[in-house]
Amino acid sequence: MKKRNDSIEEIKIKLRRTELLLEINKKIAGLHDLSQILWTLIEFITNELEADRGTLFLNDKETNELYSRVAQGDLTREIRILNNVGIAGAIFNSKQGEIIHDVYKDQRFNKEVDQETGYRTKNMICCPVKTVGGETIGVIQVLNKKKGRFTKDNLTVVNAISTQAAVSIQNAQNTEHFEKKRAKEMEFISIVSDVTAEIDLGALLQRVMEEATRMLNADRATLFLNDEKSNELFSRVAMGEGIGEIRLPNNAGIAGSVFTSGKTMNIPHAYADLRFNPAFDKQTGYFTRSILCVPIINKEGKVIGCTQVLNKSGGKFTEEDESRLKAFTQQVAIALENAKLFEDVSKSRKYNESMLSSMSNGVITIDSEGNIVTCNKSGLKIFKINENEIIKKKAKDFFSNSKSWIFEKITNVSESKEPDIIMDAEVEIFDKNTEKNEKISLNLTILPLINEDSDGRTDQSDNFLGTLLMFEDISSEKRMKSTMSRYMDPGIANQLLEDGADIMGGLDTTATLLFSDLRSFTTITESLGAQGTVKLLNEYFEIMVECISEQGGMLDKFIGDAIMAAFGLPISHEDDEDRGVKAGINMIKRLWDWNDQREKDGKPPLDMGLGLNTDKIVAGNIGSQKRMDYTMIGDGVNLAARLESACKQYNARILISDYTYKKLKGTYRIRYIDDVIVKGKTEPVGIHEVLDFHSDLTFPNLMDVVNHFNEGRKKYKSGDFSNAITSFNECLKANKDDSLSGTYIERCNYLIKENPSDWKGVWIMKSK
């Protein structure tokens, strides 16, 4: 009888379970929203088990997290935990449901959750959510049985219901995933369409970086384009109220690796990757965790740059992030090339216009109909006229009377399509100020303007655009200026000629001063003799002056084998400090190139040191009315000279002051080497060494040395000399020829022995 009663009870239980499964099927059959299905299941199970509350977690395969949806008013909030944490994580991984009668005795339970919410969890059922195929897709937790304890039958019910609902849950997940993906794709198309409409390169770069950051839920992004002229990767970034440019070699760092290899890099832990350079983090205080960097490839398959995104919110960048960023950069690649081309064309046009305007030679262009189209400022000045007296005039009318021979030459060039050069021609012009005719001497060049077709061939009859006339004034003033420019900077010669008699006096200004000096030059010249020494210096100065002039610098004077130059005189630029540093780098590089040839010829190589400082100075013509010199004076000049001399002490080639370093706009390989009090001064000055002229061959493991050196300097400044020696020894391990690290080891040993009581991290120079 008992067995029969047991059988009846089992049948009733099975019927009840069947009813429950049918009922839950009915409840969720018409639901398609994942959140509603989750809430409906939890409500049904907690009511059936007479529990206080419950939670259904689903697994996110991309992030390895368990997530649940919580309704808060009209909003839905997501709770996420790692899928190996707590009781839920343990059940998800074991795939076996459990009844826990006292959760506080279970080590897997996180008591902090109760403490934060004020809720007291007593007992629970925790059960994996499995599909019919046995795949675990989530976990159900049912908390606090209202009466009695949870039973095995309760666990069986939860298992059965969760398995029954798994198909609906998966379908809803797939639908939600599809809708999100579709929404992302529509948003992606909209973003690409919006971004690629931008033609200004700076604005386009900013938009792409902003959208990449937002699209991947990252902290920041940088888009680099390759500058084929300089082999540098550059990007435009917001700096203060404007847009600045950062540059780095196109083979340096992670961005350089991606650009040169054309392969994506997804680095979950930046500091664990040897290619990552932490120096920028140390400079800025930013902490880089994860990096995703993809190449930008144009339609011809050429890598034109790369996009670097940092610090994914909530973890590492996923494969989907890689795909989206690749697709995004692929779509904007054409827009980037177009914007860069537009910028190059605009720059070229502005450059040509600026060049035309600033040329000392007069330039006049005439169209194919014989009308004068343009005349630059020098042309107006040479002919002593205003624009309205020449622009849109017929060339035949303007070049008439005493100038009619010029029109004859223009006609000949128009017919022959061959250029013509007339040297030292005399032209008569009318000076309205004196109301007299005067004669000037000119060199005249007349060029035909021919339009080339796409194949580079020319059809001179059909593609003739007009003629260009270039007038070079070779009157007495011009000849004098040409002569003077051989003995002084052309800008100063210009100033002297324009100022006339009033050429005495000085100007307070800010400039970047450069001093350079050859090393052991006296020893080399002893074997050369007077003529050999002069020849050597002429060759050396020719190279060095070109480096200074390329950056818009002004050569002030030669002092024996030394050079004194300035950047910011007589015309200042926004980046005079950078121009000075670049000039110094080029001076060393070209000296080394020259040395290679000298050694091949059996001649001894030369070495040099440079010092740069930015400060207020007095510049002007100093002397007497009979003899004067344009020069610069002031403490800033003296400090630049001291830095050049200090190169010997620090075994360096380029030293710059802290005043110059703080105003640099570009990115260079620089290390902060000392705080010193130079002779004659009481306040310390920061000194930095520029290392950009080095290659891997001339300075192995450069950035490793710089990083160890920086650590050593910190310990040195704090008075921790023993540990500082350890860091400097690491520098020597990376590069045994780093003499500066050896100097600091000697200095630290000396300070350990002396044990100064008032150590402030400042070294006093006892010599100039």
Side-chain angles (χ1 to χ4, degrees):
M1 189 70 180
K2 184 179 179 182
K3 287 183 178 179
R4 186 177 178 184
N5 289 337
D6 289 344
S7 297
I8 292 170
E9 284 300 318
E10 288 176 4
I11 291 169
K12 286 182 178 180
I13 290 171
K14 289 180 179 179
L15 286 172
R16 177 58 183 157
R17 287 177 188 166
T18 303
E19 289 173 357
L20 288 175
L21 295 178
L22 289 171
E23 188 176 348
I24 193 61
N25 270 343
K26 288 180 182 178
K27 284 182 175 291
I28 66 175
L31 300 177
H32 301 288
D33 181 75
L34 180 61
S35 298
Q36 289 182 340
I37 292 174
L38 298 181
W39 298 334
T40 301
L41 277 171
I42 289 302
E43 183 181 15
F44 185 82
I45 291 172
T46 52
N47 288 340
E48 181 61 30
L49 269 61
E50 295 183 342
D52 188 30
R53 62 173 65 175
T55 309
L56 198 158
F57 291 98
L58 294 177
N59 183 51
D60 187 334
K61 293 180 181 179
E62 290 184 356
T63 62
N64 292 322
E65 293 175 317
L66 294 173
Y67 68 92
S68 179
R69 306 280 173 81
V70 178
Q72 292 184 335
D74 295 331
L75 301 175
T76 299
R77 186 170 67 90
E78 231 174 46
I79 300 172
R80 285 181 173 261
I81 58 173
L82 293 174
N83 63 11
N84 59 358
V85 171
I87 294 174
I91 299 303
F92 174 77
N93 286 285
S94 71
K95 304 181 182 353
Q96 297 294 324
E98 292 184 27
I99 300 172
I100 304 167
H101 295 297
D102 188 348
V103 296
Y104 275 79
K105 290 183 179 179
D106 194 305
Q107 293 182 349
R108 299 169 298 179
F109 180 66
N110 184 4
K111 302 180 182 67
E112 293 179 0
V113 177
D114 277 8
Q115 292 171 1
E116 288 178 7
T117 62
Y119 182 77
R120 171 77 177 183
T121 307
K122 299 173 184 176
N123 48 46
M124 75 165 67
I125 281 180
C126 193
C127 176
V129 179
K130 296 182 181 179
T131 64
V132 177
E135 180 188 0
T136 303
I137 63 171
V139 175
I140 289 180
Q141 284 184 343
V142 186
L143 310 180
N144 292 359
K145 181 85 168 178
K146 292 180 180 177
K147 292 180 181 179
R149 305 172 68 175
F150 288 113
T151 65
K152 289 183 179 180
D153 183 58
N154 295 149
L155 180 59
T156 304
V157 168
V158 176
N159 261 321
I161 293 174
S162 62
T163 302
Q164 184 72 20
V167 174
S168 297
I169 291 172
Q170 277 193 310
N171 289 338
Q173 275 186 303
N174 291 336
T175 300
E176 185 178 89
H177 178 72
F178 175 77
E179 290 296 331
K180 284 183 177 178
K181 193 169 183 180
R182 184 175 179 277
K184 282 185 178 179
E185 294 308 320
M186 295 303 294
E187 181 188 24
F188 179 79
I189 292 171
S190 176
I191 290 171
V192 169
S193 176
D194 187 32
V195 169
T196 53
E198 182 62 65
I199 194 64
D200 178 74
L201 182 60
L204 178 59
L205 289 173
Q206 285 295 113
R207 285 296 309 279
V208 172
M209 289 188 284
E210 289 168 4
E211 293 300 339
T213 302
R214 188 186 61 80
M215 187 169 58
L216 269 61
N217 197 19
D219 189 31
R220 60 175 64 175
T222 308
L223 192 151
F224 292 99
L225 290 177
N226 183 49
D227 186 337
E228 294 182 347
K229 294 179 181 178
S230 62
N231 289 323
E232 293 176 314
L233 293 174
F234 71 91
S235 182
R236 306 280 168 80
V237 294
M239 292 180 174
E241 296 179 355
I243 298 293
E245 193 169 271
I246 57 174
R247 285 181 172 263
L248 66 155
N250 63 11
N251 60 356
I254 291 170
S257 297
V258 170
F259 172 76
T260 53
S261 69
K263 296 179 180 178
T264 297
M265 287 188 184
N266 189 347
I267 302 171
H269 306 290
Y271 279 79
D273 195 293
L274 295 177
R275 293 164 299 189
F276 175 67
N277 181 7
F280 291 104
D281 276 11
K282 290 179 180 179
Q283 275 184 344
T284 61
Y286 184 75
F287 182 74
T288 305
R289 297 188 304 276
S290 54
I291 302 173
L292 174 60
C293 191
V294 303
I296 303 173
I297 303 173
N298 66 11
K299 60 184 179 182
E300 285 82 24
K302 180 181 177 182
V303 181
I304 62 171
C306 62
T307 304
Q308 185 171 274
V309 189
L310 306 181
N311 293 0
K312 169 83 171 181
S313 178
K316 62 183 182 180
F317 293 102
T318 64
E319 290 183 4
E320 184 182 352
D321 291 332
E322 289 185 33
S323 299
R324 288 182 66 77
L325 190 56
K326 282 181 182 177
F328 182 59
T329 54
Q330 191 73 21
Q331 291 296 321
V332 301
I334 296 174
L336 288 168
E337 283 198 307
N338 289 341
K340 190 172 185 300
L341 179 61
F342 179 76
E343 181 179 73
D344 290 343
V345 171
S346 298
K347 281 183 177 178
S348 178
R349 180 181 176 184
K350 289 179 181 177
Y351 175 79
N352 289 335
E353 290 176 351
S354 176
M355 181 177 67
L356 191 65
S357 176
S358 60
M359 284 178 65
S360 59
N361 293 338
V363 178
I364 294 174
T365 59
I366 303 169
D367 65 18
S368 59
E369 302 297 323
N371 301 309
I372 297 175
V373 179
T374 63
C375 178
N376 69 347
K377 290 181 180 178
S378 294
L380 299 176
K381 185 176 180 181
I382 289 172
F383 289 100
K384 300 185 184 300
I385 54 174
N386 300 319
E387 278 192 0
N388 57 6
E389 296 177 77
I390 183 170
I391 303 300
K392 296 182 180 180
K393 301 289 185 183
K394 287 286 185 181
K396 184 178 182 179
D397 296 334
F398 182 79
F399 295 107
S400 59
N401 300 325
S402 63
K403 298 191 288 291
S404 59
W405 65 268
I406 298 178
F407 181 71
E408 291 177 7
K409 297 289 184 181
I410 295 171
T411 303
N412 292 337
V413 169
S414 300
E415 293 173 353
S416 67
K417 309 297 187 296
E418 295 293 333
D420 192 6
I421 299 174
I422 302 94
M423 303 297 293
D424 201 7
E426 198 170 77
V427 178
E428 188 177 89
I429 62 170
F430 178 73
D431 189 340
K432 288 180 288 186
N433 294 323
T434 61
E435 295 186 350
K436 292 181 180 179
N437 290 325
E438 62 178 59
K439 293 181 179 180
I440 58 172
S441 296
L442 298 171
N443 289 335
L444 172 60
T445 302
I446 307 175
L447 301 171
L449 299 176
I450 307 295
N451 182 31
E452 293 189 357
D453 64 20
S454 58
D455 295 325
R457 300 188 302 270
T458 59
D459 185 341
Q460 295 182 345
S461 59
D462 295 336
N463 295 324
F464 178 69
L465 301 178
T467 51
L468 181 145
L469 284 69
M470 183 177 294
F471 300 88
E472 182 185 10
D473 184 357
I474 55 170
S475 57
S476 58
E477 182 178 337
K478 188 80 172 184
R479 291 192 179 107
M480 183 185 298
K481 187 187 297 184
S482 176
T483 302
M484 291 177 68
S485 295
R486 295 178 180 270
Y487 291 88
M488 63 181 68
D489 187 89
I492 300 172
N494 239 342
Q495 181 185 338
L496 293 175
L497 289 169
E498 289 175 2
D499 289 346
D502 187 19
I503 56 177
M504 299 292 287
L507 172 68
D508 286 322
T509 187
T510 298
T512 297
L513 293 310
L514 181 150
F515 275 81
S516 74
D517 193 16
L518 287 172
R519 301 287 178 255
S520 305
F521 186 67
T522 304
T523 305
I524 295 174
T525 57
E526 286 176 354
S527 61
L528 295 177
Q531 291 186 353
T533 300
V534 171
K535 182 181 178 182
L536 174 64
L537 282 176
N538 285 340
E539 291 177 7
Y540 166 74
F541 286 143
E542 188 76 30
I543 297 169
M544 297 301 109
V545 171
E546 184 178 5
C547 294
I548 294 167
S549 299
E550 283 175 352
Q551 298 299 328
M554 184 199 78
L555 174 68
D556 182 65
K557 58 176 62 69
F558 301 118
I559 310 169
D561 60 348
I563 295 173
M564 179 179 175
F567 297 83
L569 288 173
I571 300 171
S572 63
H573 308 86
E574 292 181 355
D575 59 342
D576 283 316
E577 296 78 16
D578 292 75
R579 289 168 180 258
V581 169
K582 288 176 182 177
I585 293 168
N586 290 337
M587 289 167 75
I588 298 294
K589 283 184 176 180
R590 294 184 192 176
L591 176 67
W592 284 359
D593 291 340
W594 186 42
N595 278 339
D596 289 342
Q597 185 59 47
R598 286 180 58 79
E599 289 180 355
K600 289 177 183 177
D601 297 338
K603 300 175 182 178
L606 302 179
D607 199 5
M608 65 187 294
L610 297 101
L612 289 106
N613 178 46
T614 303
D615 206 346
K616 287 186 177 180
I617 61 166
V618 176
N621 298 299
I622 297 174
S624 69
Q625 291 290 343
K626 293 184 178 179
R627 180 64 184 267
M628 63 189 62
D629 184 23
Y630 186 95
T631 191
M632 298 166 286
I633 57 175
D635 287 344
V637 180
N638 297 335
L639 179 55
R642 299 283 191 276
L643 292 177
E644 177 275 317
S645 179
C647 285
K648 304 171 189 174
Q649 181 177 336
Y650 290 96
N651 298 291
R653 287 185 172 84
I654 303 178
L655 292 181
I656 65 174
S657 71
D658 206 34
Y659 309 121
T660 300
Y661 175 79
K662 288 178 179 177
K663 290 188 175 184
L664 291 176
K665 295 177 174 60
T667 302
Y668 307 89
R669 294 186 291 178
I670 294 175
R671 60 175 168 177
Y672 193 3
I673 64 169
D674 213 350
D675 295 292
V676 301
I677 298 177
V678 298
K679 188 171 183 180
K681 294 292 180 183
T682 58
E683 293 297 321
V685 177
I687 298 177
H688 304 260
E689 182 184 13
V690 179
L691 300 164
D692 286 76
F693 54 87
H694 276 297
S695 64
D696 291 340
L697 185 64
T698 60
F699 200 126
N701 306 311
L702 191 150
M703 291 312 300
D704 290 341
V705 172
V706 170
N707 291 333
H708 288 306
F709 186 89
N710 289 340
E711 289 298 321
R713 275 271 305 156
K714 288 179 184 176
K715 296 165 186 173
Y716 165 85
K717 285 197 71 174
S718 65
D720 187 5
F721 303 122
S722 296
N723 285 323
I725 290 173
T726 302
S727 295
F728 293 130
N729 277 323
E730 290 296 323
C731 295
L732 293 174
K733 286 180 184 178
N735 180 4
K736 61 183 178 62
D737 296 323
D738 184 38
S739 303
L740 181 58
S741 295
T743 300
Y744 261 93
I745 291 172
E746 293 176 5
R747 192 185 286 186
C748 288
N749 285 324
Y750 170 81
L751 291 168
I752 290 172
K753 182 179 178 181
E754 292 295 319
N755 191 23
S757 58
D758 58 342
W759 176 247
K760 296 179 181 178
V762 178
W763 193 258
I764 299 175
M765 277 191 179
K766 296 181 179 179
S767 63
K768 294 184 179 181

